[in-house]
Amino acid sequence: LTEAGDFEHARIEINKLLAQYPAMIAFQLAAGRLEQKANRFTDALPYFAKAYELEPDSRAAVYGYINALLLVDRAEEAKALLGKYGTSDHRDPKFYKMLADAETRLGQDANAHHSLAEYYALSGEWPYAAEQLRLARETPGLSNYQRQKIVARLGQAQTSGGAA
């Protein structure tokens, strides 16, 4: 029904399922995606928040919630949620792509380039990772710590095939 654009009937059906199985995150996520497809981004947010509340370690719940936050211009909350979720075993390419998106929306250009570089590195796209790190290095107002971190990672990227 959702794919056919029959949002009203799809909403009725998903609400029946949610009434019967309120703790089923798959139904919470489906309801959120339904609202997003209907361009009702604010209405989608509570479903993703509930899915995250039910299973805070679920990648689908976390990423769904972060995406929902970004769609309603709540990038600071999205970045904070990524920080809570982002232990080393959770950091996949999508993690870094969403982090870069949040940082871009917050005007944190150097961090956004660095996160995008990590996205490319984890995807095996070392030349693109190196290019993002070069852009990060040229960002005005870098702290000494940021510059050293970027330069070190740029050296790794170039050694791994990112020399241009």
Side-chain angles (χ1 to χ4, degrees), residues 30-51:
R33 284 192 298 274
L34 163 69
E35 298 303 344
Q36 286 177 337
K37 286 185 183 225
N39 292 320
R40 294 171 53 164
F41 303 116
T42 302
D43 293 339
L45 197 57
Y47 295 109
F48 289 107
K50 181 67 174 177

Side-chain angles (χ1 to χ4, degrees), residues 3-25:
E3 294 303 319
D6 189 355
F7 301 121
E8 201 52 48
H9 284 104
R11 208 172 275 116
I12 291 167
E13 293 304 314
I14 197 70
N15 284 333
K16 287 179 191 175
L17 291 168
L18 284 169
Q20 194 170 6
Y21 306 100
M24 178 85 59
I25 72 158

Side-chain angles (χ1 to χ4, degrees), residues 4-148:
D6 189 355
F7 301 121
E8 201 52 48
H9 284 104
R11 208 172 275 116
I12 291 167
E13 293 304 314
I14 197 70
N15 284 333
K16 287 179 191 175
L17 291 168
L18 284 169
Q20 194 170 6
Y21 306 100
M24 178 85 59
I25 72 158
F27 296 147
Q28 296 289 341
L29 295 172
R33 284 192 298 274
L34 163 69
E35 298 303 344
Q36 286 177 337
K37 286 185 183 225
N39 292 320
R40 294 171 53 164
F41 303 116
T42 302
D43 293 339
L45 197 57
Y47 295 109
F48 289 107
K50 181 67 174 177
Y52 173 70
E53 177 188 313
L54 290 168
E55 291 193 39
D57 288 328
S58 163
R59 183 165 289 167
V62 172
Y63 287 170
Y65 190 26
I66 291 164
N67 184 58
L69 288 167
L70 290 171
L71 286 171
V72 296
D73 294 322
R74 289 168 56 181
E76 198 162 317
E77 290 174 67
K79 185 176 177 181
L81 184 56
L82 281 162
K84 281 175 54 177
Y85 181 70
T87 59
S88 60
D89 60 326
H90 288 128
R91 293 182 182 178
D92 59 3
K94 188 169 185 169
F95 171 90
Y96 285 106
K97 184 76 168 87
M98 294 181 103
L99 182 59
D101 191 10
E103 290 167 336
T104 296
R105 291 168 189 245
L106 293 170
Q108 300 171 352
D109 295 339
N111 291 340
H113 286 302
H114 191 270
S115 294
L116 204 50
E118 293 304 320
Y119 163 77
Y120 285 124
L122 287 172
S123 300
E125 300 286 349
W126 289 101
Y128 297 118
E131 180 60 27
Q132 287 300 316
L133 290 165
R134 284 190 282 279
L135 290 169
R137 184 182 59 195
E138 300 307 317
T139 303
L142 284 180
S143 71
N144 190 42
Y145 171 76
Q146 284 177 306
R147 185 173 307 285
Q148 288 178 0

